Amino acid sequence: MISAAIPAAAQRWIDEIRALCQPDSVHVCDGSEAERAALTAKAVADGVLIPLNQEKLPGCYLHRSDPGDVARTEHLTFICSPDKDSAGPTNNWWSPDEAKSKLTGMFQGAMKGRTLYVVPFVMGPVGSPFSKVGIELTDSVYVALNMRIMTRMGDQAWRHLNAQASGPDDFTRCLHSLGDLSPDRRYICHFPQDNAIWSIGSGYGGNALLGKKCLALRIASALGREEGWMAEHMLILGIENPKGEKHYVCGAFPSACGKTNLAMLIPPAALIEKGWKVWTVGDDIAWLRPGPDGRLWAVNPEAGFFGVAPGTSNKTNANAIASATRDSIFTNVALKPDGTVWWEGHHEPPVPGMLDWRGRPWDPASGEKAAQPNSRFTAPASQCPCIAPEWQDPAGVPISAVLFGARRPRTVPLCYEARSWQHGTFLGATLASETTAAATGAVGVLRRDPMAMLPFCGYHMGDYFAHWLNMGQKISRPPRVFGVNWFRLSEGRFLWPGYGDNLRVLEWIIERCEGRTGDGGPGAGIDSPIGTLPAALDLEGLSISAEDWQALIRVDADEWRAEAAAQAEWMAGFGDRMPAALRAEHAELVARLG
């Protein structure tokens, strides 16, 4: 039983969709524990969820999705803006009228025999001026239960909606149906001008949990441009040095490239002994607004983690493992005979008698993966051992630095600092990384992924770059901008240990932010054609040779001339919408490279 009033505009829309989709029943989610128990029991009875070992993993369940529905389908994701030009060359565009006509026919009667779940939710802390309300109407109990973890869901959303300064009619209309799960009848459509999202034919999180990438990035990026803020595919990390100086950094990394591991970093013993501390504010998305002090302030709009399981272990990310030990949902991982879960890269070895992600007996000799490469865990952020005390602060946290990271075996050094906010925008706009299993398509191919937003920007990316530049003009104390690359190789081996030792790079970054950049200081740098390289890092406890260190920070002019040529080709694709300031930055890079 809900305890908050549903605004009239929301009720009219719910009634409209009910008439269109013709469900057998309607359930308005209130977000209570009793409701969670009831929906979970229904999901188990319907075969949507499989209970796991409730002694070892209390409150945890396994979901197996359709084998053809295991990742974001970017080629079926559309920006339905009024004209094609406003969507830009990096988005799939569909006429709003044509999209609505097509999808209205598909949604007609799509929920017959099913329950329509009304899922009101808040992205961001309840009561924060950063936050936005969405209402997802879905016929998937799996979606409803995941949205409960990933957002502030239920009656609190109605209360926030009724109290917000923009009025109770200001919410994102999110319509979702599983349809028949056919890839031939799968569409994820965004209507920025209507503040609406329609998704049909998929149950995968990135396509179906419409508060996540769809609202928090594609729709929010368009809203941010109109309203003067930024929605970014970024982690938010809090760092305190031994002097008690606390800084927060944002970092943009393409999916499955170590972003969650960095967001939940555990310092190496040598740095813990010196007094370094690290906290997680968010692992995936940041909303940033100019603050009264001239800095950018950020909130994590989500309330949970939708993490990639393969490669996650007590060695690589013990905090993520701890976060998902109770009240979590695992999707497409392997099932052990004792009712616990496993995936490739887990800290425990596989055991006989496991079922793979499709529910089939798994034979290690078959050559097939036990867990789907993009298998996931959905866990409450509040369970993270290193969650920051400020993670739900309505005011957000002030950002000292922005990191742009990618998976590059060559060319890009371990870390370097941009010369200015404008130069940093150029670094982000030309960011390139090897593709991963988080999206459908080939793996290991180098592609440009500006600000890690290529699949998520809700409008023309040239205008998005201009918005970044404009935001820099609005703040008197912009964050310093850095590039990082944990994945540089030499003869097939990684030169940098990564994981917790990435704090050694963050230490240099914090020293730069504090202004301790003089010769011989901990933040000292070396000028290079691409930016400022670290003169040294604290490598105590590591066995990195002088030769490997030089390889880690090497800037090869020939490689970078080839990189600059590829950047020029990329930038040309935006025509006259590529800001002149970024073209100037590229020209200066070419000149510095000689």
Side-chain angles (χ1 to χ4, degrees), residues 144-167:
L145 287 167
N146 274 276
M147 288 291 285
R148 187 183 190 280
I149 296 173
M150 292 301 301
T151 70
R152 287 84 172 173
M153 185 268 270
D155 288 358
Q156 59 188 325
W158 299 127
R159 289 191 288 271
H160 181 101
L161 182 57
N162 282 310
Q164 67 185 5
S166 57

Side-chain angles (χ1 to χ4, degrees), residues 246-329:
K246 186 176 289 187
H247 289 270
Y248 298 91
V249 302
C250 285
F253 297 75
S255 294
C257 287
K259 185 167 65 167
T260 300
N261 293 344
L262 181 62
M264 302 181 190
L265 182 148
I266 298 175
L271 294 186
I272 291 177
E273 290 175 3
K274 292 179 179 179
W276 285 87
K277 300 175 183 178
V278 177
W279 295 279
T280 303
V281 179
D283 76 317
D284 193 41
I285 299 173
W287 287 357
L288 302 106
R289 292 179 182 267
D293 58 357
R295 294 185 291 180
L296 279 180
W297 289 67
V299 297
N300 169 19
E302 300 185 292
F305 305 133
F306 186 60
V308 177
T312 303
S313 69
N314 278 338
K315 177 183 177 181
T316 63
N317 196 335
N319 284 324
I321 293 292
S323 300
T325 53
R326 56 187 172 89
D327 298 331
S328 299
I329 298 173

Side-chain angles (χ1 to χ4, degrees), residues 343-362:
W343 49 77
E344 281 69 21
H346 198 278
H347 50 272
E348 295 179 351
V351 298
M354 294 198 312
L355 300 180
D356 71 7
W357 66 277
R358 300 188 190 204
R360 306 172 305 185
W362 181 62

Side-chain angles (χ1 to χ4, degrees), residues 208-508:
L209 307 183
L210 301 186
K212 192 164 177 58
K213 306 297 192 186
C214 295
L215 191 167
L217 289 178
R218 297 190 188 99
I219 291 296
S221 64
L223 292 174
R225 180 192 176 201
E226 294 174 5
E227 300 172 2
W229 52 281
M230 306 167 76
E232 301 298 329
H233 188 206
M234 292 181 174
L235 61 83
I236 312 172
L237 186 66
I239 306 163
E240 183 178 334
N241 67 16
K243 300 175 184 178
E245 297 163 340
K246 186 176 289 187
H247 289 270
Y248 298 91
V249 302
C250 285
F253 297 75
S255 294
C257 287
K259 185 167 65 167
T260 300
N261 293 344
L262 181 62
M264 302 181 190
L265 182 148
I266 298 175
L271 294 186
I272 291 177
E273 290 175 3
K274 292 179 179 179
W276 285 87
K277 300 175 183 178
V278 177
W279 295 279
T280 303
V281 179
D283 76 317
D284 193 41
I285 299 173
W287 287 357
L288 302 106
R289 292 179 182 267
D293 58 357
R295 294 185 291 180
L296 279 180
W297 289 67
V299 297
N300 169 19
E302 300 185 292
F305 305 133
F306 186 60
V308 177
T312 303
S313 69
N314 278 338
K315 177 183 177 181
T316 63
N317 196 335
N319 284 324
I321 293 292
S323 300
T325 53
R326 56 187 172 89
D327 298 331
S328 299
I329 298 173
F330 295 87
T331 299
N332 293 336
V333 299
L335 180 62
K336 295 166 70 174
D338 68 349
T340 60
V341 292
W342 189 87
W343 49 77
E344 281 69 21
H346 198 278
H347 50 272
E348 295 179 351
V351 298
M354 294 198 312
L355 300 180
D356 71 7
W357 66 277
R358 300 188 190 204
R360 306 172 305 185
W362 181 62
D363 179 3
S366 67
E368 295 189 2
K369 301 288 188 182
Q372 212 284 331
N374 194 38
S375 54
R376 298 278 177 158
F377 59 87
T378 316
S382 59
Q383 296 179 179
C384 181
C386 60
I387 197 69
E390 307 89 348
W391 85 281
Q392 301 232 56
D393 191 326
V397 295
I399 301 303
S400 299
V402 169
L403 316 182
F404 290 120
R407 182 181 292 270
R408 297 292 298 267
R410 299 168 55 92
T411 310
V412 179
L414 173 65
C415 54
Y416 60 108
E417 183 181 2
R419 300 167 187 273
S420 64
W421 177 265
Q422 178 174 295
H423 183 219
T425 301
F426 170 73
L427 297 188
T430 55
L431 185 67
S433 182
E434 289 186 348
T435 53
T436 68
T440 53
V443 173
V445 177
L446 191 69
R447 78 164 182 175
R448 298 286 156 186
D449 192 355
M451 284 80 167
M453 281 285 285
L454 186 71
F456 309 122
C457 185
Y459 59 99
H460 196 295
M461 194 148 254
D463 296 342
Y464 167 77
F465 301 148
H467 181 54
W468 262 76
L469 295 171
N470 291 337
M471 289 295 293
Q473 297 298 316
K474 291 182 177 181
I475 46 181
S476 59
R477 301 165 62 189
R480 300 177 80 131
V481 183
F482 299 81
V484 298
N485 174 30
W486 321 128
F487 301 98
R488 192 144 185 178
L489 297 176
S490 175
E491 299 179 348
R493 65 184 175 87
F494 289 112
L495 291 168
W496 183 248
Y499 304 116
D501 287 305
N502 292 336
L503 181 57
R504 301 173 189 271
V505 173
L506 297 176
E507 177 181 4
W508 179 74

Side-chain angles (χ1 to χ4, degrees), residues 33-110:
E33 283 296 322
E35 177 184 70
R36 181 176 72 87
L39 294 184
T40 300
K42 175 176 173 51
V44 170
D46 292 347
V48 175
L49 294 181
I50 299 169
L52 295 174
N53 186 317
Q54 295 299 296
E55 291 184 4
K56 296 182 178 180
L57 295 170
C60 293
Y61 296 83
L62 170 65
H63 172 73
R64 295 185 180 126
S65 68
D66 184 276
D69 186 29
V70 295
R72 295 191 316 269
T73 47
E74 294 177 10
H75 66 292
L76 299 173
T77 300
F78 297 89
I79 301 298
C80 303
S81 52
D83 60 273
K84 185 175 183 179
D85 187 55
S86 63
T90 61
N91 282 316
N92 300 313
W93 179 79
W94 198 357
S95 159
D97 291 341
E98 291 181 6
K100 288 180 180 178
S101 176
K102 173 76 171 180
L103 269 63
T104 296
M106 297 177 69
F107 276 109
Q108 182 72 45

